[in-house]
Amino acid sequence: MAPPGPRRYGTRVQRTRLAPLLALLLALVSSAAPPPAHAGTDPERQWYTLLTEHFAVHTYDGGEALARRAAGWAEAAWTELNPVFGWTPEERIHVVVVDDGDSANGFASVMPYDAITLFAHPPEADGSLSDYDDWLKLLVYHEYAHVVHLDNAEGLPRVLNTVLGKSIKPNQALPRWLTEGLATWVESTYTAAGRVGSSRFEMILRTAVLEDRLLELDELTGEPLRHPRGTSWYLYGSYLVDHIVRATGADAIRAFVDAYGRRVIPFSMNITARQTTGKDLAAWYAELKTALVARAHATRDALQAAGRLEGVRRTRGGEVKLYPRLSPDGRWLVYVRADGHAQAELVAAPVADPSDVRPIIRCDGGCGRFAFTRDGRELVLASGRPYRQVNWYTELVRVPFTPHQPRRAGRVLTRGARTTEPSVAPAGDLVWTASSGWGQTWLEARDATTGALRHRWDPPPWARVNTPVASPDGRTVYVSMHHAGNRDLYAVDLASGQASRLTEGRALEIDLSLSPDGRWLLYSSDTTGIYDVYARELATGRTVRLTRVLSGAFQPSVSPDGQILVYTGWTAQGWELYTLPFAPDAAPLVADPDGTELRPSAGEPPEITIERRPYNPLPTMLPRNWIPTYFVDSFGFSRLGLTFGGADASGRLSSAIGFEVDLDRDDFSAFASVGVGLWWPQVTLTAGRYTWDRFSFFDDRFEDYREEVLFSSLDVSLPLPSAHIGMFVGGTFTADLSRAVQAAPVDPSPDQFTSFVPREGLSTSLRLYWQLSDVERFAFSVSPMRGGSASAAFRLRHPAIGSTLTNYTLSYGLTRYLPMPWAQDHVTALRMQGGWSGGESPGTFTLGGVPDQNIFSDLVNLTQAGATWLRGFAPNAYVGTAYHLLSTEYRLPLMRARTGLETLPVFVRDVAGALFVDTGLAYSDPFDLDTFERLRVGVGAELRTELELFFGLTTSLRLGYGYGLGPDGGGQLYLLMAPPP
């Protein structure tokens, strides 16, 4: 006889993390769970290590020369910066030098060990990092400042770290504007340059003052929406630290860091600041703003007295307008535009009507500088492309100069060449570019049709060259070059290879272009402290000033007829384009085009003893700390555990171990995991043990049945990167060995219902998965706005792969985001998901409404529920071997919050609304005529926002009401932490 109905005892368990009190308050507990699948690495890379007295510098292939320089500067930073922060790291610091992409950056961490990663690409000439004496020294000092600051922990935190391994570092519980501000102040104080006081940072602050858009401290707790967005942490934070130091001395900073590192309960920045600097941070910031306002007004008044010379503003809306060029026929103004509401594009507008903007092509992969081909029919564009799976390099792409090109239009001319800043030579079919690799840069001339290399010029070692432009006769290339601590204009004679200096001083000369007749070399310079456009007559060396602006003028270009100058100018809302008549003969003469003293060169790094060794991953891969954890499920049952984890410095190997005791069931679970990324795919091996409570049926009743599962899995995953649509494929093989550990004996009699006991023994499965996506989200978006994704997974159990039964599960997911034409940032989101299961003992799917949640517990434990339900119905209301769920949502922004509560660790992002319709169906027999009568529909609305808590942890809140239509539906009000579907 069959059991009386499909009664199920399986429960949905919500696993939440309630960290120990100290770790929760510090927000510093790191999870040691198995890492998510990701890309492996280039298998041809050969890693090695350079050991110094205090550092282990890891790199590969051609990186040794740069890594040796980094090691020297690191030892210099050790000597110079440890006294600044009053702390000396107790272990050798691991530094990784990589050359995976064409961007200048780095990052640092102190748990579970001190580590720094340095990107080998030198800064661009037109970025915020452009003011340096030696870019590598500045980068090393900045990142080492993070290490010596964040690692500082004395008192009880030090005792706990001694017991647990490095797990609790109070100085990590600070907002980014303070951590980045300290490091940026260090780079600007202990090198001969840096961002504090740089013309670019001064420009941003001066413009913000004069347009009444200075940010408040509470806007900096999370990422501000106002410009310069994330750069604001570095800008405002460093100026605030500098202001405090000028008033109190550097000892106050050391005292603050030391006092905060001793705090058992963090987030008391103002108390600590008052104790160590005499005032809280809000009072110091108010003083800083007063000083900034006075300085900006003084600069404005002086410039007004000298006479402003600005162009006519041709664009509106702020955000991004860069690299303006006028087409060869003079009819079109072409530039790169990003408005924060859609993907960046290369666009063109009639010179007569700049508001009539027409897109040429989307900037998939990004849009850098570009140049017209000599016939004006095409553009040569610098754009990012994947190379050998794990690199992202800038390449040359030739694009037709025709509006509304498809996304994949254009022909990639180079692969792995890392060619940027293209400039088509006036004579011949050549494109001049700046190329780079492992911190070195050089000039290349490439065939404009094939991309083949025709000529190369190497500057002095470690010099940085930018924006090459060739003379009309093709004999000379003019460049902006940073060498020996200073950036100046140079003329490179191609026949001899000699470079002659055209300017000499600490001012930065950037953004070169030639007038159409080749008479004038145009560029932007900050010789007065404000970036303006200048023109140098090449035959005579006579230099004139074309603008005198209050913010900054960049990227000059002259129309083909020589009548119009177009340039990029900064506003508090972003970049705009300006034009003015090009009349250099009537412009004021500049007696000394670089009237500043030369900045002293940083010279070479200190000579130190370095030992080269083969790379050994074990010191950093093996678990370095252990974290006590406390979990509570949705029924209040608790578990106490320990987790251990580690990842090697190169990022190719990882390990994790976990052990957990169930306090209510007197049972335990454990796992161990190893991640291996030595090849293109990432391989993860996991093994462990757990038990779970199931049911058996005999004696005409259900009985408890506890089952032990010994599990192991092998997962192989491989991303397939693309500039247009990324794809991800993988597979997992799992083997589970199950047996009963708590079950009553089964002794049925003939007159009873048929008994059921879960099957014991070996069970294996193979799961294959696939995903692709081109989903896009932008600065002002409250939801993904464009594109879509598709995913599929197939799981098979079969005797051929070692299973004792045969069944399968096929699941899928489809999403599509459609921006609404009638309102900015409004979007319709469509999500379809479902699955089928079949074979022996097929799996089942449950479908229903929002599960019961404890919002307070979720907030305390920083956990989130799932994302998609059939809202308006009971949780898990419907069960079947197949299901399908379509969710349709109309999403819209309601309020741009982007604010916190002064210096408290909470930040509210944008508030959005959503109107939804959920349509779902669960069934077991597709041929049952009543199947589609089970179709259920729920409607409702939600309010949503994102919170940033504890200076870095982001979570989503959803307040909603759903109403289920039909006999099983009803009203459902809910508040929970969960991401949008």
Side-chain angles (χ1 to χ4, degrees):
M1 299 175 64
R7 183 179 179 186
R8 293 177 53 84
Y9 273 48
T11 58
R12 184 192 64 81
V13 176
Q14 177 193 354
R15 193 180 192 209
T16 66
R17 182 172 73 183
L18 182 58
L21 177 60
L22 278 175
L24 172 64
L25 292 174
L26 295 173
L28 301 178
V29 173
S30 59
S31 173
H38 59 276
T41 190
D42 189 334
E44 294 186 5
R45 290 180 178 175
Q46 299 296 315
W47 285 79
Y48 48 87
T49 300
L50 305 177
L51 285 181
T52 72
E53 183 179 1
H54 302 110
F55 296 85
V57 182
H58 313 288
T59 191
Y60 55 89
D61 301 336
E64 183 166 355
L66 185 68
R68 286 181 175 272
R69 289 178 59 84
W73 288 129
E75 288 291 349
W78 170 282
T79 300
E80 196 165 7
L81 299 187
N82 288 351
V84 175
F85 290 94
W87 179 260
T88 299
E90 299 171 320
E91 297 180 342
R92 191 184 298 272
I93 300 164
H94 295 269
V95 179
V96 182
V97 182
V98 296
D99 197 21
D100 293 343
D102 293 339
S103 62
N105 211 334
F107 56 89
S109 62
V110 296
M111 295 193 307
Y113 54 86
D114 294 340
I116 295 172
T117 296
L118 306 175
F119 297 165
H121 189 75
E124 299 296 336
D126 58 357
S128 63
L129 290 170
S130 59
D131 202 341
Y132 57 86
D133 53 356
D134 181 297
W135 71 268
L136 186 59
K137 178 183 179 181
L138 184 144
L139 178 60
V140 170
Y141 271 54
H142 182 103
E143 300 305 335
Y144 183 72
H146 281 315
V147 169
V148 73
H149 167 214
L150 301 178
D151 195 42
N152 190 321
E154 288 284 7
L156 181 57
R158 182 165 187 166
V159 173
L160 293 173
N161 286 324
T162 302
V163 176
L164 303 175
K166 294 180 69 173
S167 304
I168 297 174
K169 293 293 182 178
N171 274 296
Q172 287 203 150
L174 287 169
R176 287 195 64 182
W177 61 261
L178 189 49
T179 57
E180 295 296 352
L182 278 167
T184 305
W185 171 78
V186 163
E187 81 183 35
S188 307
T189 304
Y190 293 92
T191 74
R195 284 170 277 189
V196 176
S198 69
S199 297
R200 194 171 293 264
F201 265 24
E202 286 288 312
M203 172 190 75
I204 296 171
L205 288 173
R206 180 173 61 252
T207 307
V209 168
L210 298 178
E211 297 186 29
D212 195 24
R213 293 179 66 86
L214 274 177
L215 296 179
E216 299 295 335
L217 274 182
D218 52 11
E219 295 181 82
L220 297 168
T221 304
E223 184 173 6
L225 191 58
R226 291 198 281 172
H227 281 284
R229 297 203 173 104
T231 301
S232 301
W233 298 321
Y234 303 79
L235 171 63
Y236 289 89
S238 62
Y239 272 68
L240 178 56
V241 171
D242 186 67
H243 178 73
I244 295 172
V245 170
R246 289 177 184 274
T248 65
D251 288 347
I253 296 300
R254 180 168 59 250
F256 177 91
V257 170
D258 182 69
Y260 203 84
R262 294 173 179 271
R263 297 196 67 89
V264 177
I265 300 177
F267 310 127
S268 53
M269 295 183 296
N270 281 328
I271 294 175
T272 306
R274 283 194 296 270
Q275 293 171 344
T276 57
T277 70
K279 300 176 186 176
D280 61 32
L281 294 173
W284 283 116
Y285 192 69
E287 280 189 12
L288 171 64
K289 289 197 300 180
T290 300
L292 292 176
V293 168
R295 188 158 74 236
H297 287 172
T299 301
R300 179 198 59 193
D301 295 344
L303 193 135
Q304 295 281 28
R308 292 172 66 172
L309 179 57
E310 294 183 339
V312 177
R313 184 168 170 174
R314 297 299 185 182
T315 58
R316 298 286 171 182
E319 295 300 314
V320 174
K321 286 98 175 176
L322 294 176
Y323 318 126
R325 291 289 183 271
L326 288 146
S327 61
D329 60 10
R331 296 173 52 204
W332 299 93
L333 176 60
V334 186
Y335 57 97
V336 175
R337 180 189 71 170
D339 62 4
H341 302 279
Q343 173 67 286
E345 297 175 307
L346 186 65
V347 301
V351 173
D353 183 11
S355 64
D356 183 17
V357 179
R358 307 178 191 184
I360 298 173
I361 193 169
R362 287 163 43 104
C363 292
D364 289 351
C367 288
R369 295 179 186 266
F370 62 91
F372 279 93
T373 57
R374 292 178 62 200
D375 60 11
R377 296 180 179 179
E378 293 184 286
L379 300 165
V380 180
L381 169 71
S383 182
R385 293 293 185 272
Y387 180 72
R388 290 184 66 81
Q389 288 286 113
V390 295
N391 304 302
W392 190 265
Y393 291 156
T394 305
E395 310 291 356
L396 296 183
V397 182
R398 190 159 171 156
V399 178
F401 180 48
T402 306
H404 302 291
Q405 291 292 309
R407 293 178 64 176
R408 295 181 180 272
R411 181 164 52 90
V412 179
L413 299 181
T414 60
R415 298 196 182 276
R418 309 178 71 173
T419 47
T420 64
E421 304 178 319
S423 173
V424 174
D429 192 25
L430 293 179
V431 178
W432 282 95
T433 70
S435 297
S436 67
W438 287 113
Q440 303 276 16
T441 62
W442 57 89
L443 300 183
E444 290 185 351
R446 291 186 171 268
D447 190 291
T449 302
T450 66
L453 180 63
R454 300 300 185 201
H455 189 86
R456 171 170 169 158
W457 179 77
D458 289 285
W462 310 113
R464 179 44 159 136
V465 293
N466 291 95
T467 54
V469 291
S471 63
D473 60 11
R475 297 177 181 178
T476 306
V477 174
Y478 301 98
V479 298
S480 168
M481 183 166 71
H482 192 291
H483 177 53
N486 294 270
R487 179 174 289 279
D488 293 293
L489 302 179
Y490 288 80
V492 179
D493 181 80
L494 297 177
S496 66
Q498 297 299 310
S500 56
R501 200 170 192 166
L502 305 181
T503 59
E504 188 172 12
R506 71 178 298 152
L508 306 179
E509 286 84 26
I510 61 175
D511 296 341
L512 278 61
S513 67
L514 278 175
S515 62
D517 58 7
R519 178 185 170 194
W520 297 94
L521 177 66
L522 283 79
Y523 61 95
S524 178
S525 173
D526 69 339
T527 185
T528 65
I530 297 176
Y531 279 99
D532 272 304
V533 175
Y534 296 80
R536 178 187 179 94
E537 190 174 39
L538 293 172
T540 65
R542 184 168 66 99
T543 300
V544 297
R545 182 175 183 170
L546 302 181
T547 67
R548 184 181 284 113
V549 301
L550 188 53
S551 58
F554 304 85
Q555 301 168 359
S557 180
V558 179
S559 61
D561 61 6
Q563 299 299 309
I564 299 173
L565 169 68
V566 58
Y567 67 88
T568 301
W570 174 257
T571 73
Q573 292 78 33
W575 299 99
E576 302 289 1
L577 300 185
Y578 298 78
T579 63
L580 75 165
F582 180 61
D585 290 314
L589 182 68
V590 177
D592 186 352
D594 195 353
T596 56
E597 294 183 2
L598 280 170
R599 175 186 293 122
S601 172
E604 290 299 306
E607 291 190 10
I608 57 174
T609 300
I610 298 177
E611 180 185 354
R612 191 181 194 274
R613 290 184 180 181
Y615 176 71
N616 180 8
L618 291 181
T620 52
M621 171 192 171
L622 296 178
R624 301 285 295 260
N625 58 358
W626 58 280
I627 309 294
T629 55
Y630 185 60
F631 296 91
V632 181
D633 67 21
S634 56
F635 297 98
F637 299 120
S638 56
R639 306 183 186 99
L640 180 65
L642 296 175
T643 57
F644 309 76
D648 86 303
S650 73
R652 299 176 300 161
L653 300 168
S654 61
S655 63
I657 301 171
F659 182 83
E660 188 177 83
V661 176
D662 192 315
L663 301 178
D664 300 286
R665 298 167 65 246
D666 192 23
D667 209 334
F668 76 94
S669 61
F671 80 91
S673 177
V674 176
V676 182
L678 301 177
W679 314 278
W680 300 122
Q682 171 78 12
V683 178
T684 304
L685 299 122
T686 306
R689 184 261 190 196
Y690 68 90
T691 64
W692 61 318
D693 293 327
R694 305 183 66 185
F695 71 89
S696 59
F697 182 80
F698 55 89
D699 289 340
D700 284 347
R701 67 179 185 272
F702 290 97
E703 297 285 352
D704 291 335
Y705 183 96
R706 182 170 298 177
E707 183 175 72
E708 178 188 56
V709 180
L710 303 178
F711 66 90
S712 62
S713 67
L714 171 67
D715 180 84
V716 180
S717 57
L718 177 66
L720 301 172
S722 167
H724 308 289
I725 300 178
M727 188 158 45
F728 191 89
V729 296
T732 304
F733 182 80
T734 303
D736 297 343
L737 184 62
S738 304
R739 71 179 185 91
V741 293
Q742 181 180 322
V746 179
D747 186 19
S749 59
D751 61 338
Q752 293 175 340
F753 288 103
T754 302
S755 299
F756 167 79
V757 178
R759 185 182 306 210
E760 295 185 332
L762 179 68
S763 175
T764 62
S765 68
L766 175 65
R767 181 176 180 266
L768 304 176
Y769 51 91
W770 164 88
Q771 181 179 354
L772 63 81
S773 175
D774 68 345
V775 173
E776 298 173 328
R777 185 167 182 165
F778 314 109
F780 291 95
S781 301
V782 295
S783 160
M785 286 295 297
R786 294 177 183 270
S789 65
S791 62
F794 177 72
R795 182 173 180 174
L796 175 68
R797 299 181 185 272
H798 194 276
I801 57 173
S803 181
T804 56
L805 69 161
T806 300
N807 64 27
Y808 67 88
T809 301
L810 176 63
S811 58
Y812 69 92
L814 301 169
T815 60
R816 186 68 177 174
Y817 299 97
L818 305 172
M820 298 293 97
W822 51 78
Q824 203 167 49
D825 302 318
H826 288 222
V827 62
T828 295
L830 304 172
R831 178 177 176 84
M832 182 75 183
Q833 64 185 60
W836 298 267
S837 180
E840 305 173 47
S841 302
T844 56
F845 301 96
T846 60
L847 184 64
V850 177
D852 295 331
Q853 296 289 308
N854 184 325
I855 186 63
F856 177 77
S857 175
D858 286 346
L859 283 169
V860 169
N861 293 285
L862 300 176
T863 55
Q864 298 190 114
T868 307
W869 310 281
L870 182 60
R871 288 162 284 192
F873 295 87
N876 303 321
Y878 306 103
V879 179
T881 58
Y883 89 104
H884 306 283
L885 176 64
L886 172 63
S887 177
T888 303
E889 293 194 349
Y890 185 91
R891 303 174 181 177
L892 67 160
L894 297 177
M895 183 176 67
R896 305 289 187 184
R898 301 293 177 112
T899 188
L901 298 173
E902 292 194 344
T903 58
L904 294 178
V906 60
F907 183 82
V908 182
R909 294 177 64 88
D910 303 329
V911 179
L915 305 174
F916 64 80
V917 177
D918 296 333
T919 305
L921 173 67
Y923 59 90
S924 295
D925 183 359
F927 301 105
D928 187 339
L929 296 179
D930 297 332
T931 293
F932 287 96
E933 293 182 4
R934 302 191 184 102
L935 191 70
R936 295 293 182 265
V937 177
V939 298
E942 288 186 354
L943 286 175
R944 298 169 178 168
T945 190
E946 284 186 346
L947 297 178
E948 294 183 29
L949 305 173
F950 308 123
F951 303 129
L953 298 174
T954 301
T955 188
S956 298
L957 278 181
R958 295 166 63 177
L959 171 64
Y961 179 81
Y963 187 83
L965 307 179
D968 302 327
Q972 184 182 35
L973 181 66
Y974 51 89
L975 173 64
L976 71 161
M977 292 174 59

Coordinates of all heavy atoms in Angstrom, one line a residue, residues 463-493:
A463 N 61.1 55.7 -18.1 CA 60.3 56.9 -18.5 C 58.9 56.5 -19.0 O 58.7 55.4 -19.5 CB 61.1 57.6 -19.7
R464 N 58.0 57.5 -18.9 CA 56.6 57.3 -19.2 C 56.3 58.2 -20.4 O 56.3 59.4 -20.3 CB 55.7 57.6 -18.0 CG 54.2 57.4 -18.2 CD 53.8 56.2 -19.0 NE 52.4 55.8 -18.7 CZ 51.6 55.4 -19.7 NH1 52.0 55.4 -20.9 NH2 50.4 55.0 -19.4
V465 N 56.0 57.6 -21.6 CA 55.6 58.4 -22.8 C 54.1 58.4 -23.0 O 53.5 57.4 -22.8 CB 56.4 58.0 -24.0 CG1 57.9 58.2 -23.9 CG2 56.1 56.5 -24.3
N466 N 53.6 59.5 -23.5 CA 52.2 59.6 -23.8 C 51.9 60.5 -25.0 O 52.7 61.3 -25.4 CB 51.4 60.3 -22.6 CG 51.4 59.4 -21.4 OD1 52.2 59.5 -20.5 ND2 50.4 58.5 -21.3
T467 N 50.7 60.3 -25.5 CA 50.1 61.1 -26.6 C 51.1 61.5 -27.7 O 51.4 62.7 -27.9 CB 49.5 62.4 -26.1 OG1 50.4 63.2 -25.3 CG2 48.2 62.1 -25.3
P468 N 51.7 60.5 -28.4 CA 52.6 60.8 -29.5 C 51.8 61.5 -30.7 O 50.7 61.0 -31.1 CB 53.2 59.5 -29.9 CG 52.1 58.5 -29.5 CD 51.4 59.1 -28.3
V469 N 52.4 62.5 -31.4 CA 51.9 63.1 -32.6 C 53.1 63.3 -33.6 O 54.1 63.7 -33.1 CB 51.1 64.4 -32.4 CG1 49.8 64.1 -31.6 CG2 52.0 65.4 -31.6
A470 N 52.9 62.9 -34.8 CA 53.9 63.0 -35.8 C 53.9 64.3 -36.6 O 52.8 64.8 -36.8 CB 53.8 61.8 -36.8
S471 N 55.0 64.8 -36.9 CA 55.1 66.0 -37.7 C 54.6 65.7 -39.1 O 54.6 64.6 -39.6 CB 56.5 66.5 -37.8 OG 57.4 65.5 -38.4
P472 N 54.2 66.8 -39.9 CA 53.7 66.5 -41.3 C 54.7 65.8 -42.2 O 54.3 65.0 -43.0 CB 53.4 68.0 -41.8 CG 53.1 68.7 -40.5 CD 54.0 68.2 -39.5
D473 N 56.0 66.0 -42.0 CA 57.0 65.4 -42.8 C 57.3 64.0 -42.3 O 58.1 63.3 -43.0 CB 58.2 66.2 -43.0 CG 58.9 66.5 -41.6 OD1 58.6 65.8 -40.6 OD2 59.8 67.3 -41.6
G474 N 56.8 63.6 -41.2 CA 57.0 62.2 -40.7 C 58.4 62.0 -40.1 O 58.7 60.9 -39.7
R475 N 59.2 63.0 -39.9 CA 60.5 62.8 -39.4 C 60.6 63.0 -37.9 O 61.6 62.5 -37.3 CB 61.5 63.9 -40.0 CG 61.6 63.7 -41.6 CD 62.5 64.8 -42.1 NE 62.6 64.7 -43.6 CZ 63.3 65.6 -44.3 NH1 63.9 66.6 -43.7 NH2 63.4 65.4 -45.6
T476 N 59.6 63.6 -37.3 CA 59.7 63.9 -35.9 C 58.4 63.4 -35.2 O 57.3 63.6 -35.8 CB 59.9 65.4 -35.6 OG1 61.0 65.8 -36.3 CG2 60.0 65.7 -34.1
V477 N 58.5 62.9 -34.0 CA 57.3 62.6 -33.2 C 57.4 63.4 -31.9 O 58.5 63.3 -31.2 CB 57.2 61.1 -32.9 CG1 56.0 60.8 -32.0 CG2 57.0 60.3 -34.2
Y478 N 56.4 64.1 -31.6 CA 56.3 64.9 -30.4 C 55.6 64.1 -29.3 O 54.5 63.5 -29.6 CB 55.6 66.2 -30.6 CG 56.3 67.1 -31.7 CD1 55.9 67.1 -33.0 CD2 57.5 67.8 -31.4 CE1 56.5 67.8 -34.0 CE2 58.1 68.5 -32.3 CZ 57.7 68.5 -33.6 OH 58.3 69.2 -34.6
V479 N 56.1 64.1 -28.1 CA 55.5 63.3 -27.0 C 55.5 64.1 -25.7 O 56.3 65.0 -25.6 CB 56.3 62.0 -26.8 CG1 56.2 61.1 -28.0 CG2 57.7 62.2 -26.3
S480 N 54.7 63.7 -24.8 CA 54.7 64.1 -23.4 C 55.4 63.0 -22.7 O 55.0 61.8 -22.8 CB 53.3 64.4 -22.8 OG 53.4 64.5 -21.4
M481 N 56.6 63.3 -22.0 CA 57.3 62.2 -21.4 C 57.7 62.6 -20.0 O 58.2 63.7 -19.7 CB 58.6 61.9 -22.2 CG 59.4 60.8 -21.6 SD 60.7 60.1 -22.7 CE 61.9 61.5 -22.7
H482 N 57.4 61.7 -19.1 CA 57.8 61.8 -17.7 C 59.2 61.1 -17.5 O 59.3 59.9 -17.7 CB 56.8 61.2 -16.8 CG 56.9 61.6 -15.3 ND1 58.0 61.1 -14.5 CD2 56.2 62.4 -14.5 CE1 57.9 61.6 -13.3 NE2 56.8 62.4 -13.3
H483 N 60.2 61.8 -17.1 CA 61.5 61.3 -16.9 C 62.2 62.0 -15.9 O 62.2 63.3 -15.8 CB 62.3 61.3 -18.3 CG 63.7 60.8 -18.2 ND1 64.0 59.6 -17.7 CD2 64.9 61.4 -18.5 CE1 65.3 59.4 -17.7 NE2 65.9 60.5 -18.2
A484 N 62.9 61.3 -15.0 CA 63.8 61.9 -13.9 C 62.9 62.8 -13.1 O 63.4 63.9 -12.7 CB 65.0 62.6 -14.5
G485 N 61.7 62.4 -12.7 CA 60.9 63.2 -11.8 C 60.0 64.2 -12.4 O 59.2 64.8 -11.7
N486 N 60.1 64.5 -13.7 CA 59.4 65.6 -14.3 C 58.7 65.2 -15.6 O 59.3 64.3 -16.4 CB 60.3 66.8 -14.5 CG 60.8 67.4 -13.2 OD1 60.2 68.3 -12.7 ND2 61.9 66.9 -12.8
R487 N 57.6 65.8 -16.0 CA 56.9 65.6 -17.2 C 57.1 66.8 -18.1 O 56.7 67.9 -17.7 CB 55.5 65.2 -17.0 CG 54.7 64.9 -18.3 CD 53.3 64.5 -18.1 NE 53.3 63.1 -17.6 CZ 53.4 62.0 -18.4 NH1 53.6 62.2 -19.7 NH2 53.4 60.8 -17.9
D488 N 57.6 66.6 -19.3 CA 57.9 67.7 -20.2 C 57.5 67.3 -21.7 O 57.3 66.1 -21.9 CB 59.3 68.2 -20.1 CG 59.6 68.8 -18.8 OD1 59.1 69.9 -18.5 OD2 60.4 68.2 -18.0
L489 N 57.6 68.2 -22.6 CA 57.5 68.0 -24.0 C 58.8 67.6 -24.6 O 59.9 68.2 -24.3 CB 56.9 69.2 -24.7 CG 55.6 69.8 -24.2 CD1 55.2 71.0 -25.0 CD2 54.5 68.7 -24.3
Y490 N 58.8 66.6 -25.5 CA 60.0 66.2 -26.2 C 59.7 66.1 -27.7 O 58.6 65.7 -28.1 CB 60.5 64.9 -25.6 CG 61.1 64.9 -24.2 CD1 60.3 64.9 -23.1 CD2 62.5 64.9 -24.1 CE1 60.8 65.0 -21.8 CE2 63.0 65.0 -22.8 CZ 62.2 65.0 -21.7 OH 62.8 65.0 -20.4
A491 N 60.8 66.3 -28.4 CA 60.7 66.0 -29.9 C 61.7 64.9 -30.2 O 62.9 65.0 -29.8 CB 61.1 67.3 -30.7
V492 N 61.1 63.8 -30.7 CA 61.9 62.6 -31.0 C 62.3 62.6 -32.5 O 61.4 62.6 -33.4 CB 61.2 61.3 -30.7 CG1 62.0 60.1 -31.0 CG2 60.8 61.4 -29.2
D493 N 63.6 62.7 -32.8 CA 64.0 62.6 -34.2 C 64.1 61.1 -34.6 O 64.9 60.4 -34.0 CB 65.4 63.3 -34.4 CG 65.9 63.2 -35.8 OD1 65.5 64.0 -36.6 OD2 66.7 62.3 -36.1

